[in-house]
């Protein structure tokens, strides 16, 4: 149980996908302008990370590894995740239109996002069991959510402040992102010692 | 077996399975589209200009289908004809479209202002703007390299004597040029209006005077003479409030009294109105 908590917390804080591993930067910079779109995007990411792990972990363990096809991991995962997200979109559109509307355009957008692929591949590389892999995916999704919400706050402050002309737009956004990611460095070593 | 085959075959099989599942799912769980959607979409001009405030014509058609409160008069390029068709399909009352025309708020052509540098860079206003605000001595004015003309879907804008001119007979009022102009000189004005301010220089009068003989110097004479109180000098440039500028008792008095001649009387009634009158 403690191991699961450690996996969850370290996925959220220490190995934060956006701010420590630098995966999924595209949506991080692209959709973080407003709080509501940032939340929508992050919820879609959590959702897709969970279902992607739930499908790719068994594929790797029961289909690829026993047949010595482990090297097909990347291409098979991309294929499966892309098809899966399409399928989920169709199902949601039919049965849960309200959720489909709120996830909206973000669902197909993150189909081939590197953060999603990264989670599924790292789950295998770390040698997690199925439950651990699911917990890690949840933590990674929550970490993405945290980073997005925090950064949308930072960006709304930037928008209202007087920035030197040469820094306006993307430059100041990137600087702000790097300072935000610095703050996450402070978590290093904290979680392991929480339960020691 | 060939190693290449052992790699390719599983991927192909997985791909085929995924494709089959997706096809079946999309057939079984197809969501019925509103049958009015294609009809409505057919009425719209298909310019995808975004003047209605929705994401393209598809977005507007969708909003019309789903929400009965969506106004039918939002399509400016389509004007009254489209609005009438839409109101017939949806069974709502016809609403008149306020036709709009793009107006360039700068008249500093070659005879009125001078270049401060010789510019040999990229032929684009956005690029020229980055170089010390452009080649002209007035950094607020038209850069004259035709970003708006290139963006215009109707070829309604031409560059003459170094500044952009909109031909109201061709302009459909989509507003794409208002977004491309790096100096934000172009705005949409209802095509019934008769007076426009043709300057956007926000510098103090003396500075403006130095760089352009057409520039608004913010003397506020127009403010005083306007019988409707519709003109206000904000940031050293006159701005007309078109809501107040109606049924003027002394038409054209602002243009006649303008010290530099930057307020002008023009004929904006263009494409839409001509079509109607015929």
């Amino acid at each position: 149980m403690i191991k699961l908590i450690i996996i969850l917390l370290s996925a959220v804080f220490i190995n934060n996908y956006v701010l420590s591993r630098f995966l999924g930067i595209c949506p991080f910079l692209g959709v973080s302008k407003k709080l509501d779109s940032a939340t929508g995007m992050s919820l879609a990411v959590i959702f897709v990370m969970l279902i992607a792990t739930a499908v790719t972990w068994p594929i790797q363990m029961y289909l690829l590894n026993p047949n010595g096809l482990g090297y097909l991991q990347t291409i098979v995962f991309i294929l499966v995740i892309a098809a899966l997200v399409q399928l989920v979109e169709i199902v949601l559109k039919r049965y849960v239109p309200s959720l489909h509307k709120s996830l909206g355009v973000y669902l197909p957008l993150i189909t081939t996002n590197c953060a999603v692929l990264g989670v599924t591949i790292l789950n295998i590389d770390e040698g997690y069991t199925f439950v651990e892999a699911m917990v890690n995916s949840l933590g990674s999704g929550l970490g993405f959510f945290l980073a997005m919400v925090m950064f949308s706050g930072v960006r709304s402050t930037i928008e209202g402040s007087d920035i030197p002309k040469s820094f306006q737009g993307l430059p100041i956004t990137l600087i702000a992102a790097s300072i935000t990611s610095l703050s996450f460095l402070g978590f290093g070593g904290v979680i392991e010692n929480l339960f020691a | 077996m060939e190693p290449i085959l052992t790699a390719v075959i599983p991927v192909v099989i997985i791909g085929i399975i995924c494709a089959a599942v997706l096809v079946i799912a999309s057939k079984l769980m197809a969501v019925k589209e509103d049958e009015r959607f294609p009809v409505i979409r057919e009425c719209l001009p298909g310019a995808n200009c975004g003047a209605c405030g929705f994401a393209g014509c598809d977005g507007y058609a969708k909003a019309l289908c789903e929400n009965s409160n969506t106004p039918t008069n939002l399509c400016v390029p389509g004007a009254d004809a489209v609005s009438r068709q839409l109101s017939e399909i949806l069974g709502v009352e016809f609403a008149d479209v306020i036709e709009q025309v793009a107006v360039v708020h700068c008249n500093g052509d070659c005879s009125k202002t001078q270049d401060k540098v010789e510019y040999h860079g990229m032929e684009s206003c956005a690029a020229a703007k980055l170089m010390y605000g452009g080649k002209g001595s007035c950094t607020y004015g038209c850069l004259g390299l035709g970003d708006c003309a290139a963006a215009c879907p109707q070829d309604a804008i031409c560059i003459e004597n170094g500044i952009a001119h909109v031909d109201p007979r061709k302009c459909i009022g989509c507003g794409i040029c208002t977004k491309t102009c790096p100096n934000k000189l172009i705005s949409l004005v209802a095509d019934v209006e008769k007076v426009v301010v043709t300057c956007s220089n926000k510098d103090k009068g003396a500075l403006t005077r130095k760089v352009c003989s057409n520039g608004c110097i913010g003397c506020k004479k127009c403010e005083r003479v306007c019988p409707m109180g519709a003109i206000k000098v904000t940031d050293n440039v006159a701005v007309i409030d078109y809501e107040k500028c109606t049924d003027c008792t002394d038409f054209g008095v602002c243009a006649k009294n303008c010290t530099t001649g930057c307020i002008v009387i023009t004929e904006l009634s263009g494409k839409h109105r001509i079509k109607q009158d015929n």
Side-chain angles (χ1 to χ4, degrees):
Chain A
M1 191 59 203
I2 282 181
K3 195 180 178 200
L4 290 185
I5 295 175
I6 290 179
I7 289 176
L8 183 75
L9 290 181
S10 56
V12 176
F13 294 109
I14 303 173
N15 295 325
N16 188 292
Y17 264 76
V18 180
L19 300 175
S20 298
R21 291 199 207 260
F22 304 112
L23 291 172
I25 296 292
C26 166
F28 179 63
L29 294 179
V31 203
S32 58
K33 243 184 191 160
K34 280 194 213 124
L35 184 62
D36 49 344
S37 54
T39 349
M41 184 76 189
S42 325
L43 289 179
V45 166
I46 296 178
F47 187 67
V48 172
M49 276 182 176
L50 281 174
I51 55 166
T53 308
V55 172
T56 53
W57 194 89
I59 286 184
Q60 174 81 22
M61 290 304 167
Y62 300 118
L63 192 74
L64 298 183
N65 281 357
N67 296 319
L69 294 171
Y71 59 92
L72 288 179
Q73 189 187 47
T74 311
I75 190 163
V76 169
F77 279 15
I78 291 175
L79 190 64
V80 170
I81 294 172
L84 187 71
V85 174
Q86 296 284 322
L87 181 66
V88 168
E89 212 201 344
I90 295 171
V91 173
L92 283 185
K93 201 172 179 183
R94 176 69 190 261
Y95 295 108
V96 205
S98 56
L99 186 62
H100 179 257
K101 210 170 183 183
S102 58
L103 294 183
V105 290
Y106 305 122
L107 205 52
L109 260 184
I110 46 164
T111 311
T112 48
N113 190 278
C114 61
V116 176
L117 186 67
V119 156
T120 55
I121 289 182
L122 284 170
N123 277 336
I124 308 292
D125 288 354
E126 298 277 338
Y128 286 146
T129 64
F130 185 71
V131 178
E132 286 169 353
M134 289 303 283
V135 170
N136 185 42
S137 310
L138 178 66
S140 311
L142 288 176
F144 187 84
F145 180 82
L146 181 69
M148 288 288 274
V149 170
M150 269 177 56
F151 197 55
S152 73
V154 173
R155 272 186 96 161
S156 62
T157 319
I158 290 175
E159 215 119 281
S161 48
D162 190 20
I163 300 158
K165 218 169 184 182
S166 50
F167 282 101
Q168 277 170 11
L170 197 58
I172 193 72
T173 314
L174 288 172
I175 292 171
S178 62
I179 294 173
T180 319
S181 90
L182 267 183
S183 70
F184 269 67
L185 275 183
F187 287 113
V190 171
I191 310 267
E192 286 90 336
N193 297 324
L194 265 186
F195 302 96
Chain B
M1 212 174 3
E2 287 271 328
I4 182 104
L5 285 182
T6 53
V8 169
I9 291 173
V11 177
V12 170
I13 292 174
I14 292 175
I16 291 174
I17 293 172
C18 290
V21 170
L22 281 183
V23 168
I24 295 168
S26 64
K27 280 268 149 54
L28 280 182
M29 296 185 225
V31 180
K32 239 186 161 180
E33 217 175 49
D34 197 318
E35 52 200 24
R36 290 175 307 178
F37 178 81
V39 187
I40 292 175
R41 180 63 189 77
E42 200 57 33
C43 292
L44 297 172
N48 286 322
C49 63
C52 51
F54 293 95
C57 295
D58 280 350
Y60 185 36
K62 208 170 166 195
L64 282 168
C65 287
E66 283 169 4
N67 189 349
S68 53
N69 293 330
T70 316
T72 55
N73 61 346
L74 293 181
C75 185
V76 177
D80 286 343
V82 165
S83 176
R84 190 163 285 127
Q85 279 178 321
L86 289 177
S87 54
E88 271 169 26
I89 297 168
L90 294 165
V92 292
E93 210 166 300
F94 166 73
D96 190 38
V97 179
I98 301 163
E99 287 88 353
Q100 290 181 311
V101 166
V103 170
V104 184
H105 295 286
C106 174
N107 199 20
D109 59 23
C110 299
S111 61
K112 293 173 184 127
T113 182
Q114 312 79 35
D115 288 354
K116 64 176 178 224
V117 288
E118 217 171 288
Y119 177 74
H120 286 296
M122 224 171 119
E123 286 288 302
S124 141
C125 303
K129 170 87 179 157
L130 291 175
M131 299 283 282
Y132 305 100
K135 62 176 175 174
S137 45
C138 171
T139 51
Y140 295 91
C142 180
L143 296 145
L145 293 169
D147 278 13
C148 49
C152 180
Q154 298 291 320
D155 284 334
I157 306 181
C158 61
I159 305 290
E160 257 173 51
N161 288 332
I163 58 165
H165 289 278
V166 180
D167 183 350
R169 282 164 304 175
K170 287 184 185 167
C171 178
I172 55 170
C174 65
I176 291 174
C177 50
T178 62
K179 290 171 208 135
T180 34
C181 178
N183 277 345
K184 305 267 177 292
L185 286 176
I186 311 180
S187 71
L188 291 178
V189 172
D191 68 351
V192 288
E193 306 300 346
K194 301 282 182 207
V195 279
V196 290
V197 180
T198 58
C199 178
S200 307
N201 193 314
K202 293 190 174 63
D203 280 337
K204 288 258 163 58
L207 280 174
T208 311
R209 194 82 196 137
K210 241 180 231 165
V211 295
C212 180
S213 63
N214 183 68
C216 175
I217 53 174
C219 64
K220 304 200 176 179
K221 200 170 173 190
C222 46
E223 257 188 49
R224 289 192 294 275
V225 298
C226 178
M228 317 305 291
I231 310 184
K232 188 116 191 78
V233 174
T234 31
D235 289 338
N236 300 311
V237 56
V239 178
I240 300 176
D241 182 351
Y242 286 111
E243 278 183 15
K244 290 185 189 153
C245 179
T246 44
D247 304 323
C248 190
T249 47
D250 191 4
F251 176 72
V253 66
C254 46
K256 269 176 238 145
N257 280 292
C258 180
T259 356
T260 58
C262 71
I263 300 182
V264 292
I265 301 173
T266 51
E267 186 55 53
L268 293 180
S269 65
K271 188 175 174 153
H272 301 304
R273 208 148 296 277
I274 293 165
K275 217 191 301 173
Q276 248 174 30
D277 291 345
N278 287 345

